[in-house]
Amino acid sequence: MSSRPLSVVQRVPLPQGTPEYEALRQKYLSELEASIPDEYYLPQSLIDNPPRDVTSVPRECGILTAEEIDITENYDATALAAAIASKKFSAVAVTTAFTKRAAIAHQLTGCLVEYFQGEALERAKALDEHLEKTGKTVGPLHGVPISLKEHMPIKGHYTAVGFLDTRHIDDYDCQMVAILRAAGAVFYCKTNQPQGIMHLETVSPLGRTLNPHNIDLSAGGSTGGEAALLAIRGSILGIGTDIGGSIRGPAGFCGIYGYKSTSYYLPTKDFLVGGFAAELTVLCSTGPMGHSLRDMDLFCSVVKASNPHVEDPALIPIPWTGTATAPKTTPLKVGIMWNDGAIIPQPPVKRALAWAKEQLETKFPGKFEVKSFVPYQAAEAMVNIRKAYWPDGGNAVRAHLSATGEPMFHLTEWILKDAVSEEELPVSKVLEYRVARDVYRQKFVADWNAQDVDVVISPVFVGPACEHETAFYWNYTALWNYLDYPGVVFPTPIKALKKGAEDYAPEDATPLSEQDKHTRELWAKGDFENAPINLQITTRKYHDNELFGALAALQEALALP
């Protein structure tokens, strides 16, 4: 038993709820605290006065051995799987390294909601024994640690759908977990997600997740716990879900890879028991988050090789060819989307777009045809998207909150403003939204064809990772959910500069909308120093393989890890 409670860095306090809610919240926090060995506790002085950038703390704090630092910092999942298979590292050694680093990461960023090191080590030990006895791995992910977003069911552990009243222990693995477990994965923690799983910041009853690169900035949402844990190298591979940017936003904020598949391409069975009303118009999808393009490819190849459509008839049985997919055109036609017609992205993002354009035009002349891309009436589409998210008027949210006296968080209030009314919409209105969506998709693809592009590179967000409680505008991710286009967020070498070092270009001096004006006010007020700047690449619906083929073609020019 530790002589002091586990302390976690928190920059902005959480709203207070009823005594019943606060007692329940404290119960879960105490369980999490009890699961983390006190020898992994960071000094209280560090928690009280953390550096703004905490990414180097795990390496420097003295808790990890030299080998554990090597394992967690110098390998991607593909290399680790090979190292375990060759017996360079045992699964136990790898699991120990990542579970220790995850415990450190949580104290610095608030990224975890559940931690089960003992169970993970038992699994790793069994995998080592199997390899020693048979000379074979159990599968391509033998011994690879994988972290999970809280709402994904795994047997014997908590699941919740963004509210405290929904938290319960599952007695089964969801389909995705079962596939990965059969491939040899080791599960060791669950990560934080926001209230209602519908914010682009991760702040829940169990805490606020901070960005490891700058703890005064958001880690994004709704898969922000995963993104922060990956960014500080407490995870090598994670899984997210995305209905408005929930994989891509956090990946962009934290400087890692994130892939949102086309809907019903990768398995989401049992991810949200009871469903989500927004999916009557805008479909959710899933995908991996990680450190390298080949890890994204490995994850998808493992999942698709299991033929998940045999178990879930909703899935589309398109085989995975991934990065081995040959581009259909030469040169590859790359559109650059400079803005969406509503919000001009903040200066570091525009700088990253300009960098990408220059790289493609100068590194390999003739290999890429680069052109500007203007998204068809994107600003108008966003109006319909926001309406479509809340066909129940937000009644389900309010019911969950009232069940335990959970307070409504600031960003929950913000997103519910988009609901047309507080009443459930009639079927005729939901049908109207679906028809409008389908008409828009048809017009968008006609315009895409007219602009003659294979892929589009665009911003991930209106700026770098935003300051806490300011993740207001989902434009650059939600558009692609509405279209159901697959997208990958990838890192660039661009980072936000010191406050005052850059500003909007003269040609961007005039705001395009009130949202744009507000975004400029947030830029002027904020300090985004050291925030990673990622970009997003998208293509047509169910062209997921072609998307990865394009990334493979772009990899050298854009220096993609």
Side-chain angles (χ1 to χ4, degrees):
M1 187 74 179
S2 176
S3 59
R4 67 174 174 87
L6 180 74
S7 296
V8 177
V9 177
Q10 288 286 284
R11 306 299 271 184
V12 180
L14 300 181
Q16 295 289 301
T18 64
E20 176 193 5
Y21 162 80
E22 293 297 336
L24 186 58
R25 189 175 79 86
Q26 190 55 54
K27 169 184 177 291
Y28 292 134
L29 288 171
S30 296
E31 289 178 3
L32 177 58
E33 177 183 328
S35 69
I36 297 177
D38 59 355
E39 58 263 34
Y40 303 162
Y41 281 23
L42 294 168
Q44 187 64 47
S45 58
L46 176 59
I47 300 297
D48 293 340
N49 295 287
R52 176 183 277 190
D53 181 345
V54 297
T55 54
S56 65
V57 172
R59 181 189 322 119
E60 299 168 351
C61 67
I63 294 172
L64 300 176
T65 67
E67 182 181 76
E68 288 163 352
I69 293 170
D70 181 39
I71 288 170
T72 54
E73 294 192 358
N74 297 324
Y75 293 81
D76 63 2
T78 305
L80 264 186
I84 295 168
S86 69
K87 301 184 182 179
K88 178 179 180 180
F89 298 128
S90 68
V92 166
V94 170
T95 299
T96 300
F98 278 99
T99 53
K100 288 175 69 174
R101 192 157 183 142
I104 298 167
H106 176 65
Q107 295 169 77
L108 297 168
T109 66
C111 56
L112 302 184
V113 295
E114 195 173 2
Y115 179 82
F116 33 101
Q117 183 188 47
E119 178 184 316
L121 288 172
E122 287 182 12
R123 162 73 165 168
K125 182 181 177 183
L127 290 169
D128 285 337
E129 290 172 351
H130 175 90
L131 180 58
E132 188 64 32
K133 182 178 179 180
T134 66
K136 298 178 181 178
T137 62
V138 302
L141 296 176
H142 183 106
V144 174
I146 294 182
S147 48
L148 293 172
K149 191 175 182 179
E150 186 182 19
H151 72 79
M152 299 175 181
I154 178 172
K155 185 176 181 179
H157 295 285
Y158 283 115
T159 293
V161 293
F163 304 100
L164 219 54
D165 74 307
T166 65
R167 207 161 197 250
H168 66 279
I169 293 177
D170 280 307
D171 59 2
Y172 66 96
D173 287 345
C174 65
Q175 185 183 14
M176 179 73 85
V177 167
I179 291 168
L180 297 172
R181 194 190 293 278
V186 176
F187 301 106
Y188 63 108
C189 67
K190 281 198 149 186
T191 55
N192 201 15
Q193 61 191 20
Q195 186 177 71
I197 328 182
M198 281 294 286
H199 302 173
L200 283 189
E201 174 162 14
T202 295
V203 53
S204 80
L206 301 186
R208 182 186 307 275
T209 301
L210 312 179
N211 191 316
H213 298 281
N214 181 336
I215 58 175
D216 291 319
L217 303 179
S218 169
S222 63
T223 321
E226 284 293 320
L229 183 63
L230 281 154
I232 202 168
R233 302 291 297 200
S235 176
I236 199 70
L237 198 58
I239 315 169
T241 46
D242 193 315
I243 195 172
S246 289
I247 290 172
R248 291 160 295 147
F253 280 19
C254 292
I256 61 171
Y257 273 96
Y259 162 46
K260 180 205 84 71
S261 65
T262 308
S263 64
Y264 299 127
Y265 187 54
L266 297 177
T268 58
K269 183 171 176 284
D270 296 323
F271 273 9
L272 286 173
V273 176
F276 184 40
E279 289 200 274
L280 292 168
T281 304
V282 185
L283 293 171
C284 188
S285 56
T286 188
M289 302 167 74
H291 299 287
S292 68
L293 177 58
R294 67 178 185 171
D295 281 0
M296 303 293 96
D297 192 57
L298 172 65
F299 179 98
C300 295
S301 66
V302 169
V303 172
K304 292 297 286 184
S306 72
N307 293 318
H309 60 277
V310 174
E311 180 181 330
D312 184 359
L315 295 177
I316 308 298
I318 300 174
W320 182 257
T321 54
T323 54
T325 309
K328 291 186 175 179
T329 63
T330 303
L332 185 71
K333 299 171 184 175
V334 181
I336 304 288
M337 178 175 153
W338 297 98
N339 67 71
D340 68 345
I343 300 175
I344 295 172
Q346 292 168 347
V349 177
K350 187 170 182 183
R351 181 158 49 90
L353 290 168
W355 169 84
K357 179 177 184 291
E358 182 182 12
Q359 291 291 107
L360 297 183
E361 289 178 335
T362 61
K363 289 285 185 179
F364 298 95
K367 185 175 181 180
F368 308 106
E369 181 183 342
V370 183
K371 58 181 78 175
S372 293
F373 178 84
V374 179
Y376 177 80
Q377 296 185 2
E380 291 82 353
M382 280 304 302
V383 175
N384 290 336
I385 296 167
R386 289 192 294 267
K387 291 177 183 177
Y389 279 136
W390 304 107
D392 72 340
N395 289 331
V397 170
R398 287 183 280 271
H400 284 304
L401 297 179
S402 65
T404 60
E406 182 174 330
M408 183 178 288
F409 290 1
H410 171 60
L411 287 174
T412 304
E413 292 181 15
W414 172 265
I415 57 175
L416 284 181
K417 289 196 303 185
D418 293 328
V420 174
S421 73
E422 292 191 3
E423 301 298 322
E424 186 172 295
L425 297 179
V427 171
S428 58
K429 180 60 70 171
V430 176
L431 177 62
E432 179 185 316
Y433 289 169
R434 287 181 64 105
V435 170
R437 177 203 69 184
D438 290 346
V439 168
Y440 178 76
R441 288 179 176 181
Q442 292 157 6
K443 291 180 178 179
F444 189 95
V445 77
D447 189 67
W448 176 292
N449 293 340
Q451 296 191 59
D452 191 24
V453 293
D454 298 314
V455 295
V456 169
I457 292 176
S458 65
V460 181
F461 186 63
V462 297
C466 61
E467 293 190 316
H468 298 297
E469 301 290 349
T470 65
F472 299 126
Y473 303 117
W474 305 14
N475 299 38
Y476 286 104
T477 50
L479 172 67
W480 306 111
N481 295 91
Y482 196 58
L483 292 164
D484 201 11
Y485 282 17
V488 172
V489 165
F490 59 88
T492 78
I494 307 300
K495 286 183 177 289
L497 304 178
K498 185 178 295 188
K499 185 176 175 66
E502 60 183 330
D503 208 344
Y504 286 84
E507 64 267 23
D508 297 329
T510 304
L512 301 178
S513 65
E514 285 302 310
Q515 292 180 339
D516 194 349
K517 183 179 178 181
H518 186 207
T519 300
R520 292 162 190 256
E521 292 168 356
L522 294 172
W523 168 255
K525 171 180 172 290
D527 184 353
F528 309 97
E529 185 178 359
N530 203 47
I533 308 298
N534 282 26
L535 294 174
Q536 175 178 210
I537 183 170
T538 51
T539 194
R540 302 168 185 268
K541 184 176 182 178
Y542 289 122
H543 283 56
D544 299 60
N545 284 311
E546 289 78 3
L547 178 63
F548 273 76
L551 278 163
L554 293 163
Q555 187 168 16
E556 189 174 358
L558 296 179
L560 300 179

